[in-house]
Amino acid sequence: MDGLKNLRVLVVDDEELARVRLRGLVNECLAPRASVVGEAANAAQAMVWLATQQCDVLLLDVQMPGRDGTQLAAELRQQEHSPAVVFVTAHAEHAVKAFDLEAVDYITKPVRRERLEAALGRAAQRLSATVPEPEAGEDDGEEETPVIVVSDRGRVIRVPVTEVLYLKAELKYVTLRTALHTYVLDDSLSELEGRLGPRFLRVHRNALVARRAVRALERRVLAGEGEDEGGEGWAVCIAPVEEWLAVSRRQVGAVREALVVVPR
């Protein structure tokens, strides 16, 4: 598991059989490993459980007696260090509302293990993408490095952010490039940009680049990516892989600045 912790899951569903099935499927998941640490039949029970215990992921039904799942998710969203939410429901029409609430995923019943495993993988990525700031007085003498968690051929890998050279959106996925490897993520580029902060620079609508990896800026012909006639446009060279990425005109100034400012 390369250091990834066992995900603690709370199942919230008013149907007992649905809870039993989800518990079994969670136990079957291999990457990431996860276990059900609690169950609740409605939102009120879930809030009582969460008042005294912690979980990493909420597997949450939408339509339940009393407050529904979206109301519970909205309530939890206001709290600090709230769990990642994966909606699990028979009703697909609530998907837009779910993602407005920043849910990690939205699964429709009947749930397949592979689909649940993918959702838990996304939850693990979100939970591990950044390291929380240490509380006052908390200092173990060693500063942890933020990571991005990726799934690669059945493995779950923690990629230190300091090793990431660039992230590029391609079709439905985002490619993460290090000096030695290329990985594929399900996260959106805008979501990753928010997590990674100022150490990364948006050079194009489809690309984020580590400032420390910016080697050169020049006009080049990039097939299918240039903004001018003939496919010519600005491009940035990424070290140490010596790959070129298109730069939008509006970002040329920011890339020039990255070239002259020494990264901290």
Side-chain angles (χ1 to χ4, degrees):
M1 289 297 297
D2 199 19
L4 186 66
K5 67 179 181 179
N6 188 68
L7 291 177
R8 300 166 296 176
V9 178
L10 173 64
V11 177
V12 185
D13 196 304
D14 62 313
E15 297 181 5
E16 184 178 0
L17 288 178
R19 297 197 302 271
V20 170
R21 173 165 172 75
L22 282 174
R23 178 184 285 273
L25 290 173
V26 167
N27 290 336
E28 292 175 10
C29 290
L30 300 176
R33 296 293 301 178
S35 59
V36 175
V37 294
E39 296 181 11
N42 53 53
Q45 287 184 13
M47 290 300 290
V48 169
W49 190 95
L50 289 166
T52 58
Q53 301 176 77
Q54 292 183 329
C55 67
D56 301 305
V57 183
L58 214 63
L59 296 182
L60 181 58
D61 190 16
V62 173
Q63 294 189 339
M64 298 181 294
R67 283 175 294 175
D68 66 21
T70 59
Q71 291 173 310
L72 174 58
E75 209 170 318
L76 292 174
R77 189 182 175 194
Q78 306 305 314
Q79 299 181 4
E80 196 173 2
H81 307 309
S82 60
V85 173
V86 175
F87 284 101
V88 183
T89 177
H91 307 281
E93 64 269 21
H94 300 288
V96 173
K97 174 67 172 176
F99 289 112
D100 284 344
L101 293 168
E102 298 183 353
V104 169
D105 210 337
Y106 189 96
I107 306 175
T108 53
K109 300 176 181 177
V111 180
R112 295 179 294 107
R113 182 189 62 79
E114 295 81 2
R115 184 67 183 85
L116 178 61
E117 197 167 57
L120 292 176
R122 292 189 181 97
Q125 288 180 5
R126 178 174 294 187
L127 292 166
S128 301
T130 57
V131 177
E133 292 292 329
E135 296 182 4
E138 182 182 335
D139 184 6
D140 59 4
E142 184 177 340
E143 185 177 343
E144 290 190 68
T145 301
V147 299
I148 296 177
V149 177
V150 302
S151 297
D152 181 58
R153 301 176 185 176
R155 299 180 301 159
V156 176
I157 302 170
R158 293 163 64 92
V159 179
V161 169
T162 52
E163 294 182 9
V164 179
L165 302 178
Y166 68 79
L167 298 117
K168 185 177 180 183
E170 299 177 285
L171 299 176
K172 295 167 60 177
Y173 303 99
V174 171
T175 298
L176 182 155
R177 184 75 161 95
T178 70
L180 300 176
H181 301 286
T182 299
Y183 302 103
V184 175
L185 305 178
D186 290 322
D187 307 63
S188 70
L189 201 62
S190 57
E191 182 181 0
L192 289 163
E193 183 177 19
R195 295 182 198 167
L196 295 170
R199 284 181 291 184
F200 282 74
L201 171 67
R202 174 82 76 155
V203 299
H204 195 276
R205 66 178 179 275
N206 70 347
L208 282 173
V209 171
R211 291 178 182 272
R212 60 180 171 74
V214 174
R215 170 66 57 82
L217 174 71
E218 64 181 61
R219 293 189 69 82
R220 292 173 64 91
V221 174
L222 294 174
E225 297 189 64
E227 296 185 339
D228 299 335
E229 291 184 12
E232 182 178 330
W234 288 102
V236 62
C237 182
I238 307 301
V241 292
E242 304 300 318
E243 295 181 13
W244 292 86
L245 298 179
V247 177
S248 63
R249 291 192 189 97
R250 65 192 301 182
Q251 291 302 111
V252 169
V255 176
R256 288 188 193 277
E257 182 181 348
L259 280 166
V260 298
V261 175
V262 178
R264 295 182 179 180

